[in-house]
Amino acid sequence: MAKDTTGRLHVTVKSGGKRKLSSKLWLERQLNDPYVMQAKRDGYRSRAAYKLREMDDKYHFLKQGQAVVDLGAAPGGWSQIAAKRVGAEAGKGKVIAIDLLEMGEIPGVTFAQLDFLADDAPEKLRAMLGGGADIVMSDMAANTTGHRKTDQLRIVGLVESAAAFAAEVLNPGGVFLAKVFQSGADATLQNELKRNFATVRHVKPAASRQDSSERYVLAMGFRGGA
């Protein structure tokens, strides 16, 4: 081990064996990420919790009593933050977490293991909420192939699907928040969001790794709804 420029011990992962270089670098980055270490201390399931917390601290879109849908929720970091901020733990708001993967219980969060792309998913969700949602949020990332253009299309396609789902379940004035990546492939998505929402902005929270092209689109003031 060696100390980095901040004085923290830096963990180096040995290469060799069956471990690929990409796996070695990912594991090394995780072990040395201050947000990963802080998440463990604070009891959050992922470092992503800090991204949502930071964005809400600035734009105040999570409010007491709201109904929130967390798409691709596992392992649950965003659901944890949402449940606290809308009062779901105290029975004031509702948080529905959706994922294809199983997810452990979180106080105040109802988990549904289903595919949000399924035709009947919006109907099932409305039944669970007893109405529409105030916020649909997604920290999902599409599986990558290593081919840049293909990956960009997959990423944008996933966000477009999440936005379409949001348009079916959001109440008037609702909010859509989703992970995107800087690219020139999302013009159609931006135009669609600007038609459907009063304000659309890109946000890069400090908890996002600075060497990543990751950012978030925050669309507020949904114009549609039942």
Side-chain angles (χ1 to χ4, degrees), residues 56-192:
D56 185 51
D57 284 346
K58 185 172 183 178
Y59 295 106
H60 309 290
F61 47 84
L62 290 169
K63 298 179 176 66
Q64 289 280 305
Q66 287 180 322
V68 180
V69 179
D70 186 5
L71 299 178
W78 274 26
S79 291
Q80 287 179 295
I81 296 295
K84 290 180 180 179
R85 299 212 166 184
V86 305
E89 294 175 319
K92 296 178 181 178
K94 293 181 181 179
V95 177
I96 306 294
I98 296 174
D99 206 301
L100 291 172
L101 303 173
E102 291 186 4
M103 191 178 86
E105 290 186 7
I106 296 175
V109 176
T110 300
F111 175 65
Q113 189 171 4
L114 58 84
D115 184 355
F116 82 93
L117 295 173
D119 291 341
D120 61 348
E123 183 181 348
K124 286 183 177 179
L125 177 72
R126 282 184 169 276
M128 293 175 72
L129 287 173
D134 299 304
I135 298 176
V136 172
M137 57 188 192
S138 164
D139 195 34
M140 296 183 293
N143 293 328
T144 57
T145 65
H147 185 269
R148 185 178 178 184
K149 288 187 177 180
T150 300
D151 291 342
Q152 285 180 346
L153 291 173
R154 284 189 174 190
I155 291 164
V156 173
L158 183 62
V159 181
E160 287 178 341
S161 296
F165 178 88
E168 291 195 56
V169 301
L170 276 176
N171 293 322
V175 174
F176 174 65
L177 173 67
K179 179 190 289 183
V180 294
F181 291 86
Q182 290 178 328
S183 75
D186 59 357
T188 301
L189 170 65
Q190 295 304 310
N191 290 335
E192 185 68 19

